[in-house]
Every structure is written in structure tokens, then in C-alpha cells.
């Protein structure tokens, strides 16, 4: 068997085409969707990711606010920046690029973002929403993976899904989203013993471990769907995933390439969440004052 390719680039292009109509409808009602991207420090990989996000905004008609803060910015200043953006009606989404410098407490910063503008879905309110199956903003990478899976026409309910990697950004939310869709989900991580014993049972294998070549054909069931979230740069500059693509594609029924699989979808889903936030802001503006509406949620009232 040679796997069919799940083309993240093509799906991204198609989704972004659809965004144009939504942006036009918003603009017609006097709202230009806006995304603020905060980068603290000069991590080279983060700079590339932020650059891609800002570029995608431009392509889709979303106004971007790129805020670059020096590496030694005090936490209080980062919090003050977020407070200003929370109050700015031109901003519908706020994203703080991770990782943050070690002197900044990431959790405090993520919790400072208004839940109504948390387009990365990392605020505890949105994470908790994921647990009970009703989040405002699903986190972008697992959200993109879910849409890629849907293009295969596979019914997720009842399938064995194995997620390799238990990060807060990908592995854990991914597992929760597929559990919500009634899959039988296993999460494997760095301390899992005999990884292959788990992966071989997967009807759907999702790998987000950040280790090139981790998944070889012997670890994959015949006919499995394999989604590779890894983005690793080899010493020769080549970008590869966590899966031995050439080997595994001979066993899988569907597989994502790297690059051109999950990567483009992450940024596309960020734009999707930003548009949804702008559409929601417009609805809430009509319902009542958007900023005041936030307080009861945060107080748990
Ligand atoms: N760092 C790595 N991935 C992500 C992401 O999806 N969002 C943010 N904010 N930072 C990241």
C-alpha cells in the first residue's frame, strides 16, 4: 500500500479563499479584524513563526499589530502591554509567542489575555472549555489536524488514536479534541516504555514529539492514518517531521508530508480564530458591552 497524501497546503489555500468573504462581510459592517502578535526576545525560530503569522494576516485582509519587546522586558511591562491590547477594540486576537524568556512566568502572562481574544486557546478558560467539550477558541495546531483528518472522510468515533507527545500546545489538547469525538485515545510521551507497543495499535497516529525519525514503519499498523506534527531542521538545513515519511508511506493509508502538511494549517486556524473573534465581538457589541461581559466569566459567576 502507498499512502494518499493529506495536503495541508491545498486545504489551507482553500480555507483562506473562504476567509475573504468573511473579512469582506466584517469590513462592510465597519470591523476590520485585527490580530496582535507579541514577541519577547529574539529566538530565531520564534521570529520566523511570528513573521509567517504576520504575513498570513496581510494575505487574508486581517490587520496585524506586531509588538516586538526586548529579551529583558520586565514581566509587568508584558502584562501592561496585554492589558492595553485587551482594551483596544481594533484588536480581536492576542497571541504571545512561546517560549518566553525564563524570567517571565508564562502562565501569568497567558492568563492575562482576555478570554475573548485568546485566539491561541491557551488561557485556562479555553483549556477548561476543551475538557468539557465546549471551548471558544480551539488551539490552532490540533484544530488544523482535526480538519486534515476530516478530509480523509474517516469516522473518528470508536477508532484507536495514539498521540505521541503530551505538550500543552499540541498533544494534550489534541487528545481531548479526539476524545470529545469519541475516539479511544492513548497519549504517549518521553517516559512511555516501549512506544511501538502503543503506536502499532493506532488507527490514527498523531506524532508531535519533536524527534526526527522517531516513527519507523515497524511501529505503524497497515492502513493507519499518520499525521506528523514535527518540524525539525537537520544539520544540512533540511526540514523533516518526526515520521520516517518514505518508509511509513508504504504502510499507511493516509499521511501528511513535512513540510506542507500540518504546518500551513496552524497559521490558517489562527486566522480562523481571529475572524471568529471579530464576528463574535460584533455580535456581543450588539448584545451588550463586550468588555463588561467578560467579568462574570472570569469570576466564575
Ligand atoms: N510556540 C510554538 N507553537 C506555538 C503556538 O502555536 N502559539 C504560540 N503562541 N507560541 C508557540
Amino acid at each position: 500500500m502507498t499512502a494518499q497524501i493529506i495536503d495541508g497546503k491545498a486545504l489551507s489555500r482553500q480555507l483562506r479563499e473562504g476567509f475573504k468573504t468573511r473579512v469582506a462581510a466584517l469590513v462592510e459592517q465597519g470591523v476590520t479584524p485585527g490580530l496582535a502578535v507579541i514577541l519577547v526576545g529574539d529566538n530565531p525560530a520564534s521570529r520566523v513563526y511570528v513573521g509567517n503569522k504576520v504575513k498570513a494576516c496581510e494575505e487574508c485582509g486581517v490587520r496585524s499589530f506586531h509588538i516586538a519587546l526586548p529579551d529583558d522586558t520586565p514581566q509587568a511591562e508584558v502584562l501592561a502591554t496585554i492589558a492595553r491590547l485587551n482594551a483596544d477594540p481594533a484588536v480581536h486576537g492576542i497571541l504571545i509567542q512561546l517560549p518566553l524568556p525564563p524570567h517571565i512566568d508564562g502562565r501569568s502572562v497567558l492568563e492575562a489575555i482576555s478570554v475573548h481574544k485568546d485566539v491561541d486557546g491557551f488561557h485556562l478558560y479555553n483549556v477548561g472549555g476543551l475538557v468539557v467539550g465546549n471551548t471558544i477558541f480551539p488551539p490552532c495546531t490540533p484544530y488544523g489536524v482535526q480538519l486534515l483528518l476530516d478530509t480523509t472522510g474517516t469516522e473518528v468515533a470508536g477508532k484507536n488514536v495514539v498521540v505521541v507527545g503530551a505538550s500543552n500546545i499540541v498533544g494534550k489538547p489534541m487528545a481531548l479534541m479526539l476524545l470529545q469525538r469519541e475516539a479511544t485515545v492513548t497519549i504517549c510521551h518521553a517516559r512511555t516504555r516501549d512506544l511501538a507497543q502503543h503506536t502499532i495499535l493506532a488507527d490514527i497516529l498523531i506524532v508531535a514529539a519533536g524527534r526526527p525519525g522517531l516513527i519507523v514503519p515497524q511501529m505503524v499498523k497497515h492502513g493507519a492514518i499518520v499525521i506528523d506534527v514535527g518540524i525539525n531542521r537537520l544539520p544540512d538545513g533540511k526540514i523533516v517531521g518526526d515520521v520516517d515519511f518514505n518508509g511509513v508511506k508504504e504502510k499507511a493509508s493516509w499521511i501528511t508530508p513535512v513540510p506542507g502538511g500540518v504546518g500551513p494549517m496552524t497559521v490558517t486556524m489562527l486566522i480562523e480564530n481571529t475572524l471568529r473573534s471579530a464576528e463574535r465581538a460584533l455580535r456581543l457589541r450588539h448584545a451588550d458591552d463586550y468588555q463588561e461581559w467578560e467579568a462574570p466569566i472570569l469570576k466564575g459567576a
Side-chain angles (χ1 to χ4, degrees):
M1 171 182 285
T2 296
Q4 298 189 69
I5 302 298
I6 307 177
D7 187 344
K9 243 181 166 165
L11 180 59
S12 271
R13 217 177 296 122
Q14 189 189 326
L15 289 167
R16 290 186 194 191
E17 206 47 48
F19 291 165
K20 288 185 185 161
T21 328
R22 289 167 66 190
V23 170
L26 282 163
V27 170
E28 201 165 284
Q29 294 173 86
V31 174
T32 301
L35 173 68
V37 182
I38 307 171
L39 174 63
V40 188
D42 55 5
N43 179 314
S46 290
R47 244 189 296 151
V48 172
Y49 291 138
V50 164
N52 288 342
K53 289 168 187 177
V54 169
K55 191 162 148 255
C57 284
E58 281 165 17
E59 269 174 38
C60 297
V62 171
R63 190 188 294 162
S64 63
F65 305 86
H66 182 184
I67 296 149
L69 300 173
D71 194 59
D72 58 356
T73 306
Q75 180 167 315
E77 199 175 318
V78 178
L79 293 175
T81 304
I82 292 171
R84 177 173 61 75
L85 296 168
N86 281 344
D88 185 343
V91 174
H92 303 97
I94 303 170
L95 176 150
I96 180 131
Q97 188 64 30
L98 303 175
L100 287 163
H103 68 280
I104 294 179
D105 174 36
R107 231 24 286 169
S108 306
V109 168
L110 293 175
E111 259 49 279
I113 295 173
S114 161
V115 295
H116 299 282
K117 301 190 179 188
D118 176 35
V119 288
D120 245 345
F122 293 166
H123 188 289
L124 281 184
Y125 179 85
N126 277 313
V127 176
L130 215 52
V131 174
V132 296
N134 180 23
T135 190
I136 308 175
F137 299 113
C140 303
T141 300
Y143 191 9
V145 170
Q146 193 170 280
L147 295 198
L148 288 171
L149 271 177
D150 288 343
T151 65
T152 68
T154 303
E155 168 64 276
V156 169
K159 293 276 163 36
N160 287 342
V161 173
V162 176
V163 180
V164 181
S167 70
N168 290 336
I169 294 181
V170 184
K172 288 186 210 166
M174 186 78 253
L176 287 167
M177 285 162 105
L178 294 173
L179 178 62
Q180 183 62 28
R181 294 176 74 174
E182 300 179 313
T184 301
V185 182
T186 303
I187 308 181
C188 299
H189 46 79
R191 301 293 295 271
T192 297
R193 277 178 284 154
D194 194 359
L195 180 61
Q197 176 193 321
H198 298 276
T199 58
I200 198 74
L201 296 177
D203 302 309
I204 300 171
L205 178 61
I206 301 172
V207 192
R211 284 177 55 191
L214 177 66
I215 303 297
V216 293
Q218 302 89 294
M219 300 165 79
V220 178
K221 181 172 159 179
H222 273 286
I225 299 176
V226 179
I227 308 276
D228 191 349
V229 186
I231 302 177
N232 308 291
R233 186 181 291 275
L234 298 181
D236 66 2
K238 193 170 172 230
I239 301 288
V240 297
D242 294 350
V243 175
D244 163 16
F245 179 83
N246 287 327
V248 170
K249 81 173 180 348
E250 300 305 327
K251 271 187 106 174
S253 57
W254 291 87
I255 191 167
T256 57
V258 178
V262 176
M265 289 299 287
T266 297
V267 180
T268 299
M269 301 329 289
L270 175 67
I271 305 290
E272 160 68 36
N273 277 348
T274 305
L275 294 188
R276 182 182 308 157
S277 180
E279 289 159 352
R280 202 168 164 269
L282 198 59
R283 280 200 309 276
L284 292 176
R285 188 166 80 187
H286 294 311
D288 206 344
D289 185 335
Y290 172 54
Q291 297 299 332
E292 284 183 13
W293 197 78
E294 177 169 352
I297 295 179
L298 292 178
K299 286 181 190 143

